[in-house]
Amino acid sequence: MFLALGALAAYDVLPRTRFDPTMRHYVALAAVVVGAALLIGAIWGRARWLILLGAVLVVLLALTVISGLNWNGTRSYYLPTTFESVSSHYDGDTGGLMIDLTELPWDGREIDLEVDVVLGVVRIIVPDTVGVMGSASADLGRVENYSTGVFEGLIGPRMDIDLPGPGGIVRLNAHVGVGLVAVDRVHVPGQEES
């Protein structure tokens, strides 16, 4: 294992190499070598202590992969000003996704909005005169409805939303794999109820 790690370190310091190893590559290489030793030890030898070392390396590998993720991901902010520029479906892998619908000329219009993010934060903002109907859910994380003060979280939170409004309707289906879904209605000057 030390020979393999030393060879990787020697390659790492070479100038102008196309591969730039990170910490997770070192841990992965150590885990592969220990795994191979365990396979060989199952047939010849009795190096059972390698099981403990292998378990520690697998946990360490998982931590280095998680820490190496781009948690900020792609921060996307949508502020459409016409209904033609509103997409019916927004999705993403990781990062923040904010859809601000406060600049639309609502006047009783209705739209369908489907949002799906694997890992990150989804926030939907609508004027307080616009209704929101539908659902928000997460496989693991939190769902927040600022308008009603309802917050649910942990494993599989799902919230059915039924907020009427005279200015228009957003039929919402928002989902995040791991993270947060937040729905917020804010006061927008000039869009007061008539």
Side-chain angles (χ1 to χ4, degrees):
M1 180 177 73
F2 290 118
L3 286 174
L5 291 175
L8 182 60
Y11 181 77
D12 192 4
V13 297
L14 287 176
R16 297 185 182 174
T17 56
R18 297 185 73 186
F19 174 61
D20 186 21
T22 62
M23 177 58 97
R24 70 175 181 223
H25 295 110
Y26 286 95
V27 177
L29 180 61
V32 166
V33 171
V34 170
L38 282 170
L39 286 174
I40 293 169
I43 299 169
W44 301 288
R46 303 208 184 275
R48 292 190 180 112
W49 62 272
L50 287 176
I51 295 172
L52 180 60
L53 179 59
V56 169
L57 285 172
V58 167
V59 171
L60 187 59
L61 180 60
L63 291 175
T64 59
V65 169
I66 289 171
S67 67
L69 285 175
N70 182 5
W71 290 101
N72 292 330
T74 304
R75 293 177 182 251
S76 300
Y77 179 69
Y78 298 98
L79 181 64
T81 56
T82 64
F83 284 99
E84 292 74 24
S85 63
V86 178
S87 175
S88 61
H89 184 79
Y90 294 89
D91 61 4
D93 292 330
T94 62
L97 178 61
M98 181 182 290
I99 303 168
D100 187 343
L101 303 174
T102 57
E103 295 293 317
L104 292 172
W106 282 96
D107 197 28
R109 295 281 298 261
E110 297 185 10
I111 63 170
D112 294 321
L113 189 62
E114 186 173 340
V115 182
D116 191 16
V117 170
V118 176
L119 174 70
V121 176
V122 173
R123 186 168 183 213
I124 293 100
I125 304 169
V126 299
D128 57 0
T129 58
V130 174
V132 181
M133 311 286 179
S135 66
S137 62
D139 294 334
L140 178 65
R142 194 167 163 87
V143 178
E144 301 180 350
N145 185 339
Y146 292 113
S147 303
T148 59
V150 176
F151 308 101
E152 297 180 12
L154 205 50
I155 300 172
R158 177 183 168 84
M159 183 182 300
D160 291 322
I161 302 170
D162 186 8
L163 300 170
I169 297 289
V170 176
R171 286 185 292 276
L172 178 67
N173 180 11
H175 176 263
V176 66
V178 178
L180 165 71
V181 178
V183 178
D184 195 8
R185 292 200 308 176
V186 297
H187 178 71
V188 178
Q191 292 192 14
E192 288 82 6
E193 293 184 32
S194 45

